Amino acid sequence: MPEAAVRLPDPAVEARLARLDEVLAGLESAPGPAAREALESVRLLTEVYGEALARVVDVADERLGELLAADELLGHLLVLHSVHPEPVERRAARAVEKLRPAVRERGGDLEWAGIEGQVARVRVSSGGGGCGSGCGGGSADVTEVVRAAVLAAAPELTAVEPVAEERRAAPAFVPLDSIRRRPAAQEAR
């Protein structure tokens, strides 16, 4: 019976990706045909692996597709190769919904407002007491956390912009006694 494959923990994957970025940056700035051929090799290998991943997604049932997409590394690869089974808007909206309870705990709220072009729009509200003290550092901090989460879930997007809170007029106050009492002129009729 074959042994189970050893999987890299996420920090090891992140370290390898960072090193890959360094190596590719070095190759891009290196002169000569060897550097160009090395970069072309990486590009061709990426295309072939992308095609293989696309074929896996094509034969996967809905549940397997969801499992593949839920893994952070696989999800990014699915996006990179334009084969992610879930639409960008749904992934981004889900990222906002995951953050919503934590923001509400701090007195604010989040609401998904949609996508315009390649820009996600999120309504960040401060709640009654203002997010300056209630959100653990201010609405700018909340907006940055939301931006990072949305772009991690949907890296095809170019930006995340907060939508201003809608200012609603306070309802007019009508004392309950004035509704219950009828003017004397009406009672006489």
Side-chain angles (χ1 to χ4, degrees), residues 4 47 79:
E47 287 177 8
V79 168

Side-chain angles (χ1 to χ4, degrees), residues 78-168:
L78 293 169
V79 168
L80 174 71
H81 296 290
S82 302
V83 294
H84 200 290
E86 192 173 31
V88 64
E89 180 143 3
R90 190 176 316 148
R91 287 183 276 131
R94 188 175 54 247
V96 170
E97 284 304 311
K98 283 182 181 178
L99 291 173
R100 197 171 194 195
V103 173
R104 282 182 166 177
E105 266 182 26
R106 290 164 179 81
D109 200 4
L110 296 177
E111 183 182 343
W112 177 248
I115 295 176
E116 292 180 18
Q118 294 299 111
V119 178
R121 312 267 299 161
V122 179
R123 188 167 290 106
V124 180
S125 61
S126 60
C131 219
S133 60
C135 290
S139 61
D141 291 344
V142 171
T143 301
E144 180 53 33
V145 169
V146 171
R147 185 194 70 74
V150 169
L151 293 180
E156 313 92 319
L157 298 174
T158 58
V160 178
E161 293 180 355
V163 176
E165 279 186 75
E166 293 177 18
R167 300 287 182 204
R168 295 185 182 128

Side-chain angles (χ1 to χ4, degrees), residues 17 30 36 46 64 67 77-78 83 146 151 164 178:
L17 289 172
R36 285 191 300 274
T46 301
L64 178 57
L67 291 171
L77 288 174
L78 293 169
V83 294
V146 171
L151 293 180
S178 69

Side-chain angles (χ1 to χ4, degrees), residues 53-72:
L53 187 57
R55 291 178 184 193
V56 167
V57 171
D58 285 347
V59 298
D61 64 13
E62 186 176 334
R63 179 68 184 136
L64 178 57
E66 289 172 3
L67 291 171
L68 292 171
D71 180 274
E72 186 177 5

